[in-house]
Amino acid sequence: MADRQERKPLLSSSDDDGGKEYDEYSVGKAKTKHGFNSHLALAIAAITLGSSFQFGYNLGVVNSPELIIKDFYNETYFNRHGEYMQPSLKTLLWSITVAIYAVGGMIGGVSAGYLANRYGRKGALLRNNVTAVIAGGLLGFSKMAKSYEMLIVGRVISGINSGINTGIVPMYLSEIAPISQRGLAGTFNQLALTIGVFVSQLLGMEFILGSRSLWPICLALTCGPVVFQLLTLTFCPESPRFLMLAREDTEGAKKALMWLRKSYDVEDEIEEMNFEKAAEEKHSDFKISHLFLHNELRIPLIISVVLQLSQQFSGINAVIYYSTSIYRSAGLSAQNSQFATLGSSMVNVLMTLVSALLIDRAGRRILLLLGLGGMFIFTVVITVALEFKDQASWLSYLSIVAIICYITFFAIGPGPVPWLIVAELFAQGPRSAAVSTATLVNWSANCVVGLVFPTLQKSIGMYSFVPFAIMLLLFFLFAMFKLPETKGKTIDEITHLFKANTE
């Protein structure tokens, strides 16, 4: 305890900052003392592979067997009406099947904050597994029941499940990780998502589970992560910050921190949370309207919303949803298009892992700017290559390379950073409401892309990526001038940054 006796003097913040005192020594030590360990790794795996993985799996599972599922729609319609669907109706139904997942995500996302506050982060995620089981049952038995309506309803419910997960998982990860490891922990959310996309597209290959008889099993396997999460997350603690700041359970927070850090020496982190608690107590009870009425909350909310829009309006989900058909339009056979899609997903996984290793060193801001800039360049390349591929055969291969590079730059920044940032920009009081708002915006944009892109493709063909290129440029400029760096900062330091900028 000798080191505790040589602390620096307490530094008082201004009265506008809540009138609290900072122990600069303790806060600095809390940033660097604890590292990665097996308990923290288990908690991160339980959260991400049990929840984020489901999101990614359901996002990509309908991609590879797209043509076979469309045939199921057509055959079901013929059995009912004695005639096949009009092509326009089949396109519409497929667009609904893809986009309805995002509608469910909007419902789940907007309710995530309420559930996280009522049941806790861990409690809400465990309860959310019920929706995954219901969705898996509807998806898995839709062919047996000869009902594409069951499949569409199953997609809605799986979307609700994923919306809740996307709202709560980043909060949980940011609240259980040491400050020095917060970026790494947060990026594992996106890493598990990309692994889910890859696994779903691998299993969706026609020679595995994407055949005419087995595709319902592929869709129903969304229930698999439920078993894993029940066997792992059950033994992990609730979020220490939630216990401390929302439940006022200091002893429970200490026990949770000791388990997560594998150490009894957690007083510095408890002290840092006490600083945040004292600041909250100086202000009136938080109301959702405060997000829009107070500059110190409105500005980070605007940043969070714009970053969520940058993730979806970058065009990434158009590539994920329709990559197989895009590769076919580039001249690849149906089977080779599936392999190309699988390769793209693997690149996404690997580069997200690279981002996880870099984000606490390079910082969130630089990775986001690098990603948005690279995506802008390769969106232009994709457009040009697809438009002129008939004039030079090598342009078809260039478009494939460009799509892979585009996905690479997405994985570096725009993939993981928006989910991580929104949980970092807000203190405990407004965090759940801010995360719910940002998640709703993300899923709304996801839905718009899913509905509009097929029509966009038919209307303007190879120029359908031009609107995404324009928006990527605008998002790059916004991030350059408005996004602060949060690397290595406590939540209290980040919130004070916005207070200082609004004075």
Side-chain angles (χ1 to χ4, degrees):
M1 300 295 289
D3 64 329
R4 308 276 286 177
Q5 297 173 359
E6 298 177 2
R7 291 187 173 187
K8 296 180 181 180
L10 292 174
L11 301 177
S12 297
S13 61
S14 68
D15 290 337
D16 290 338
D17 289 340
K20 68 180 187 311
E21 293 180 325
Y22 285 94
D23 183 339
E24 194 176 49
Y25 179 92
S26 293
V27 174
K29 193 175 180 186
K31 291 181 181 182
T32 58
K33 185 184 350 182
H34 298 292
F36 216 71
N37 64 72
S38 58
H39 283 187
L40 181 61
L42 175 62
I44 291 173
I47 300 162
T48 56
L49 295 180
S51 296
S52 307
F53 180 92
Q54 283 180 336
F55 175 25
Y57 188 89
N58 287 307
L59 192 65
V61 72
V62 296
N63 193 334
S64 293
E66 172 187 345
L67 297 178
I68 292 174
I69 296 176
K70 283 182 177 178
D71 287 343
F72 161 66
Y73 284 9
N74 218 3
E75 291 166 6
T76 301
Y77 189 87
F78 181 83
N79 291 333
R80 294 177 183 178
H81 304 285
E83 60 181 6
Y84 290 110
M85 287 182 179
Q86 293 294 323
S88 58
L89 177 59
K90 186 163 67 172
T91 300
L92 175 62
L93 271 179
W94 181 250
S95 297
I96 291 173
T97 303
V98 172
I100 205 73
Y101 176 64
V103 174
M106 291 161 57
I107 298 170
V110 78
S111 62
Y114 168 78
L115 295 172
N117 284 338
R118 177 167 183 177
Y119 300 111
R121 283 55 164 146
K122 170 186 169 181
L125 289 176
L126 287 174
R127 286 170 172 81
N128 192 34
N129 285 310
V130 174
T131 60
V133 173
I134 294 172
L138 288 168
L139 294 168
F141 289 106
S142 58
K143 185 174 187 292
M144 184 183 298
K146 298 180 179 179
S147 170
Y148 48 72
E149 293 87 353
M150 277 180 63
L151 195 154
I152 292 172
V153 173
R155 290 282 291 171
V156 174
I157 296 176
S158 65
I160 293 173
N161 171 271
S162 295
I164 293 171
N165 286 336
T166 53
I168 297 176
V169 168
M171 277 194 289
Y172 198 170
L173 290 172
S174 70
E175 291 174 1
I176 67 172
I179 295 169
S180 61
Q181 304 290 325
R182 200 170 59 211
L184 175 65
T187 307
F188 273 107
N189 172 47
Q190 184 70 16
L191 180 62
L193 188 158
T194 60
I195 293 172
V197 172
F198 173 77
V199 171
S200 70
Q201 293 180 344
L202 174 64
L203 296 179
M205 300 288 283
E206 190 170 357
F207 62 88
I208 302 179
L209 292 178
S211 65
R212 293 186 179 276
S213 59
L214 297 178
W215 65 263
I217 297 175
C218 187
L219 269 60
L221 284 179
T222 184
C223 294
V226 171
V227 178
F228 174 79
Q229 187 165 87
L230 292 176
L231 293 175
T232 53
L233 186 57
T234 304
F235 302 101
C236 297
E238 181 55 84
S239 158
R241 297 191 86 87
F242 173 78
L243 292 172
M244 180 81 168
L245 302 176
R247 294 275 173 85
E248 298 185 348
D249 182 3
T250 303
E251 193 59 34
K254 285 182 180 179
K255 289 180 180 178
L257 272 176
M258 286 189 290
W259 189 91
L260 288 164
R261 305 293 179 257
K262 295 185 71 173
S263 171
Y264 291 104
D265 188 9
V266 296
E267 290 301 322
D268 295 308
E269 288 191 78
I270 292 293
E271 200 166 352
E272 186 263 322
M273 284 189 270
N274 273 324
F275 292 150
E276 185 178 340
K277 183 179 179 181
E280 287 187 1
E281 290 174 349
K282 295 288 184 179
H283 303 282
S284 58
D285 291 339
F286 171 77
K287 297 178 182 178
I288 293 179
S289 60
H290 291 171
L291 285 175
F292 307 95
L293 297 177
H294 299 293
N295 274 342
E296 68 267 23
L297 295 178
R298 184 169 62 246
I299 293 174
L301 180 67
I302 291 171
I303 292 172
S304 299
V305 165
V306 172
L307 292 195
Q308 297 295 335
L309 290 174
S310 76
Q311 186 184 79
Q312 295 302 326
F313 288 153
S314 66
I316 186 62
N317 278 341
V319 172
I320 291 176
Y321 286 145
Y322 302 104
S323 57
T324 304
S325 60
I326 291 172
Y327 286 132
R328 286 200 301 269
S329 70
L332 295 183
S333 66
Q335 187 176 41
N336 286 339
S337 296
Q338 288 188 345
F339 281 115
T341 297
L342 194 63
S344 300
S345 295
M346 176 56 75
V347 168
N348 200 359
V349 172
L350 294 176
M351 293 311 300
T352 303
L353 181 58
V354 170
S355 177
L357 299 175
L358 290 176
I359 197 163
D360 282 316
R361 297 181 181 181
R364 289 72 158 135
R365 186 173 181 274
I366 187 65
L367 292 185
L368 183 68
L369 288 172
L370 179 63
L372 289 172
M375 291 179 78
F376 167 74
I377 292 171
F378 285 103
T379 298
V380 174
V381 174
I382 290 170
T383 302
V384 173
L386 289 176
E387 174 63 22
F388 296 103
K389 70 180 189 305
D390 293 333
Q391 300 180 22
S393 59
W394 61 270
L395 286 175
S396 294
Y397 299 102
L398 177 62
S399 68
I400 295 170
V401 172
I403 287 175
I404 292 173
C405 292
Y406 167 94
I407 291 172
T408 296
F409 279 101
F410 172 81
I412 288 174
V417 171
W419 293 119
L420 172 63
I421 282 289
V422 66
E424 289 187 325
L425 294 184
F426 296 91
Q428 185 72 22
R431 183 178 297 132
S432 295
V435 167
S436 287
T437 302
T439 303
L440 174 62
V441 169
N442 186 287
W443 281 96
S444 300
N446 187 327
C447 182
V448 169
V449 172
L451 281 174
V452 170
F453 188 72
T455 304
L456 205 62
Q457 268 190 312
K458 287 194 170 184
S459 301
I460 59 178
M462 304 308 173
Y463 293 102
S464 54
F465 278 92
V466 171
F468 296 130
I470 295 171
M471 286 185 281
L472 279 165
L473 181 59
L474 294 176
F475 292 134
F476 176 87
L477 294 173
F478 177 89
M480 177 179 288
F481 293 109
K482 295 296 183 182
L483 179 64
E485 182 55 72
T486 59
K487 178 188 71 171
K489 292 183 173 65
T490 66
I491 299 298
D492 191 73
E493 288 172 334
I494 295 168
T495 56
H496 273 72
L497 175 65
F498 289 106
K499 286 182 181 179
N501 288 340
T502 55
E503 290 176 352

